[in-house]
Amino acid sequence: MSYATVKSPSTKRRGRLALAAVAIAALSGLSLNAAPATADSADTVQQALDGLVGKGGFPGTLAAVRDADGRTRDYTAGVGDLKTRDEVPVDGRVRIASNTKMFTAVVVLQLVGEGKIGLDAPIEKYLPRLIRGNGNDGRKITVRQLLQHTSGLHSYTANMPPILETRHKYTEPRELLDTGLAHKPDFAPGKSWLYSNTGYVVLGLLVQKVTGRPISEEITNRIIKPVGLRDTYWPGIGEQTIRGAHPHGYTPDEKKKMVDITELDPSWGWSAGQLIATPSDVNRFLAALMDGELLKPAQLKQMKQTIKAPGLPSTWTYGLGLVKIKLSCGESAYGHGGDIDGYETRTGITEDGRAATVAVTALPTSQAGAKQVNAALDTALCAAK
């Protein structure tokens, strides 16, 4: 168990891909150029990660904490492979699941800024007759409502079979959409809030229709390459492994035995949750977003405007693909989170540029476990002051 490196700044039904799996249902030495945090603050973060492995019961955990000047400390705890007992790789790659929604939302908002999409236009304008049936109607759902989870579209992930039965199955985006549209809306558009992966699949299709290119390519060319996210990528069709150094991810079977679920086909996440990245890359993305490198001021302002989100922790509100989190130290952070079989991540950045991403290598199995991961993010962001 260690905090390992400091890096200098550089220019049976599964409700997966959730922000907090349970919350939504009921979230070694330092180098000489270390960030100006005290040893006590570093120890506080390490203790939080150690607690996730101990009391929390997660096999392994890793985190990257970035100070306001862009310098990063990496932390690890637990083991990266339950079979070999290898250590968790420092700043290893993980499936970041619904953090992908921030990337999808940024591309949509870039297209809004380019005048190619109207934020309050009905999705019907761009994808005619796509959303129909069982009371679903694209003429009544706006792009903003899809981004904000106020569309009412039923989330397809609420009706998927257990992952151990389907982990190697490739799923087309249209199949995901059809699964969601097979159900009536959860509410009329704009009348409530409910997390919907179906809505973000529609946004992926929207980007493809407007640009004429795959959503994976648009995210890569508009965000990953310009920001220099060297360890972030969209898995190719049929790609089930994680490239490079990474901790193994686990899920319990019916007998509660931990099964290695690292290898799976993530196509069922698509524009709602398919990306793979390192914690430090997620922090770098958040910094670029908040520094105005990715969006024009008007679109960034819209993204950061949040509303109440029933079902999320009471201190969280939701914007356009972005969560605002009230911290215990009196500040707020913007970020997201992601849950996919084998990995849970929580991310955030404060107004002064302090950022943190915490990842564990299994989904929480209790509300207490989900809260403990959220608390570790809070600790990391507050300790980085």
Side-chain angles (χ1 to χ4, degrees):
M1 303 176 184
S2 64
Y3 50 94
T5 63
V6 174
K7 294 176 286 189
S8 296
S10 58
T11 329
K12 290 190 182 184
R13 178 183 292 184
R14 55 177 180 166
R16 307 303 192 213
L17 296 178
L19 263 166
V22 179
I24 284 182
L27 195 179
S28 15
L30 302 174
S31 69
L32 293 178
N33 65 334
T38 66
D40 287 343
S41 68
D43 289 345
T44 299
V45 177
Q46 186 62 54
Q47 289 167 12
L49 265 66
D50 291 345
L52 289 170
V53 173
K55 183 179 178 181
F58 296 101
T61 182
L62 59 163
V65 182
R66 177 183 173 116
D67 73 8
D69 294 322
R71 289 174 290 186
T72 295
R73 250 188 208 90
D74 295 304
Y75 301 80
T76 67
V79 295
D81 186 327
L82 288 176
K83 183 177 181 180
T84 65
R85 311 304 292 182
D86 286 344
E87 294 182 353
V88 175
V90 173
D91 200 33
R93 286 175 170 149
V94 297
R95 300 188 189 278
I96 64 169
S98 281
N99 288 292
T100 302
K101 290 181 174 68
M102 292 188 291
F103 291 72
T104 298
V106 165
V107 173
V108 171
L109 290 168
Q110 285 177 344
L111 293 169
V112 170
E114 294 165 14
K116 297 176 181 177
I117 292 175
L119 191 54
D120 293 304
I123 192 65
E124 178 80 8
K125 178 178 179 179
Y126 310 100
L127 298 169
R129 301 196 63 79
L130 180 68
I131 301 176
R132 287 288 194 280
N134 296 312
N136 299 290
D137 190 343
R139 293 168 295 187
K140 300 177 181 178
I141 296 171
T142 67
V143 174
R144 183 192 300 274
Q145 290 167 345
L146 292 168
L147 288 164
Q148 200 172 51
H149 296 297
T150 56
S151 70
L153 291 179
H154 183 75
S155 186
Y156 66 86
T157 45
N159 302 98
M160 293 177 68
I163 185 62
L164 293 177
E165 296 177 10
T166 61
R167 62 186 294 183
H168 301 303
K169 179 181 181 295
Y170 172 75
T171 309
E172 288 282 357
R174 183 56 197 254
E175 184 178 347
L176 302 175
L177 178 61
D178 288 346
T179 299
L181 296 182
H183 298 266
K184 294 180 179 180
D186 292 316
F187 50 83
K191 297 300 182 181
S192 188
W193 187 96
L194 191 64
Y195 200 79
S196 174
N197 290 302
T198 304
Y200 269 76
V201 167
V202 176
L203 291 169
L205 295 172
L206 169 65
V207 169
Q208 295 189 159
K209 182 64 178 293
V210 171
T211 65
R213 301 303 306 166
I215 180 66
S216 57
E217 185 178 302
E218 289 298 307
I219 286 176
T220 299
N221 292 338
R222 287 172 172 268
I223 301 174
I224 294 174
K225 288 182 178 179
V227 177
L229 307 181
R230 293 184 295 273
D231 293 306
T232 301
Y233 68 95
W234 184 288
I237 294 177
E239 187 174 2
Q240 300 189 54
T241 58
I242 298 177
R243 305 172 199 168
H246 61 274
H248 287 232
Y250 296 89
T251 192
D253 62 14
E254 292 183 354
K255 297 181 180 179
K256 297 185 178 182
K257 179 182 177 182
M258 296 302 274
V259 176
D260 191 323
I261 195 72
T262 310
E263 293 191 9
L264 58 78
D265 193 313
S267 55
W268 58 267
W270 203 53
S271 52
Q274 191 161 337
L275 282 174
I276 289 172
T278 59
S280 68
D281 259 12
V282 177
N283 290 349
R284 191 171 295 112
F285 160 76
L286 288 170
L289 175 62
M290 293 302 160
D291 285 346
E293 295 178 28
L294 295 172
L295 291 175
K296 296 177 180 178
Q299 280 71 56
L300 181 57
K301 182 179 179 180
Q302 293 275 2
M303 192 179 195
K304 293 169 69 176
Q305 289 180 352
T306 62
I307 61 172
K308 292 182 179 180
L312 294 186
S314 60
T315 55
W316 295 14
T317 52
Y318 205 93
L320 304 184
L322 199 65
V323 178
K324 185 175 183 180
I325 305 166
K326 186 176 180 180
L327 302 175
S328 64
C329 48
E331 300 175 77
S332 292
Y334 290 95
H336 210 278
D339 291 30
I340 189 169
D341 303 277
Y343 302 95
E344 177 171 90
T345 48
R346 295 291 179 266
T347 68
I349 186 168
T350 60
E351 290 287 0
D352 67 355
R354 306 189 322 272
T357 295
V358 176
V360 291
T361 57
L363 292 178
T365 57
S366 67
Q367 187 173 354
K371 287 182 176 180
Q372 192 173 354
V373 179
N374 294 343
L377 175 67
D378 182 278
T379 296
L381 288 168
C382 290
K385 295 181 72 172

